[in-house]
Amino acid sequence: MKFCSSCAGTISLKVPPGDNRERAICDDCGEIHYKNPLIVVGCVAESDGKVLLCKRAIEPRHGYWTVPAGFMELGETLAGGAARETLEEACATIEIGHQFASVDVVDAGQVHVFFTGKVVGGYGVGEESLETELFSEDEIPWDDLAFHSGRFALQKYFEDRGENNGVHFHELRRARS
């Protein structure tokens, strides 16, 4: 961020009084512009013992398989966002189950939250997908999954067999050299 969204003044990184880390602060009006993690919501949706995956039609990871997921929107709940993303990416209406996995993607400034779900209608191919398919655990294209967080969610889903065994937490950071 170079310019203030309130007054268009120049931004500098400084530690505000009473804070403990640098923030983007306007040199003119003093507005503090906080940058906080974004929330990604997704659903491992099941139908007839298989889970619904989408092949991505967008970057990042175009052409790789993923659990239907995306950024949460203002004005929606975590579960509502997961259901919306599943509808958008896989044209699937789902019945949301329980929250079962959370992944802190520290270097990307994101938190990924996953729910279980049941497909209650058909499914299809949304604008952000090349194709969608139902997979049993042994059919999942594990080597062609787009994101580590989706892999973690799928692994925990199958460990739990869809039962509510609490929330599994994971943290992803880039390896430092």
Side-chain angles (χ1 to χ4, degrees), residues 14-74:
K14 302 178 233 175
V15 178
D19 206 333
N20 61 2
R21 62 189 67 205
E22 285 187 336
R23 308 287 184 182
I25 302 175
C26 179
D27 294 330
D28 295 335
C29 74
E31 179 80 19
I32 301 171
H33 300 275
Y34 293 94
K35 186 173 181 185
N36 301 104
L38 297 172
I39 299 172
V40 171
V41 289
C43 184
V44 176
E46 186 230 311
S47 179
D48 297 322
K50 295 184 175 189
V51 296
L52 183 61
L53 297 180
C54 304
K55 187 178 270 190
R56 292 178 59 81
I58 59 173
E59 293 294 346
R61 310 290 288 161
H62 180 276
Y64 285 83
W65 290 94
T66 187
V67 171
F71 291 107
M72 187 174 172
E73 300 288 348
L74 292 174

Side-chain angles (χ1 to χ4, degrees), residues 5-6 13 24 39-40 42 46 48 55 58 70 72 84 94 105 107 124 136 154 160-161 163 167:
S5 60
S6 295
L13 290 178
I39 299 172
V40 171
E46 186 230 311
D48 297 322
K55 187 178 270 190
I58 59 173
M72 187 174 172
R84 176 188 51 76
I94 59 168
V105 188
D107 295 317
S136 64
L154 287 166
D160 292 350
R161 295 288 169 223
E163 297 298 317
V167 179

Side-chain angles (χ1 to χ4, degrees), residues 41-145:
V41 289
C43 184
V44 176
E46 186 230 311
S47 179
D48 297 322
K50 295 184 175 189
V51 296
L52 183 61
L53 297 180
C54 304
K55 187 178 270 190
R56 292 178 59 81
I58 59 173
E59 293 294 346
R61 310 290 288 161
H62 180 276
Y64 285 83
W65 290 94
T66 187
V67 171
F71 291 107
M72 187 174 172
E73 300 288 348
L74 292 174
E76 69 184 357
T77 64
L78 291 168
R84 176 188 51 76
E85 285 292 342
T86 305
L87 182 61
E88 287 178 2
E89 294 183 7
C91 301
T93 301
I94 59 168
E95 179 182 296
I96 286 285
H98 61 277
Q99 180 182 338
F100 76 98
S102 174
V103 180
D104 295 314
V105 188
V106 177
D107 295 317
Q110 298 174 2
V111 177
H112 297 193
V113 179
F114 295 94
F115 289 82
T116 62
K118 300 277 186 211
V119 178
V120 294
Y123 64 93
V125 179
E127 287 186 22
E128 296 179 1
S129 300
L130 296 169
E131 60 183 289
T132 56
E133 191 172 329
L134 291 169
F135 292 93
S136 64
E137 182 178 6
D138 62 339
E139 296 171 330
I140 290 177
W142 294 102
D143 292 336
D144 292 325
L145 293 178

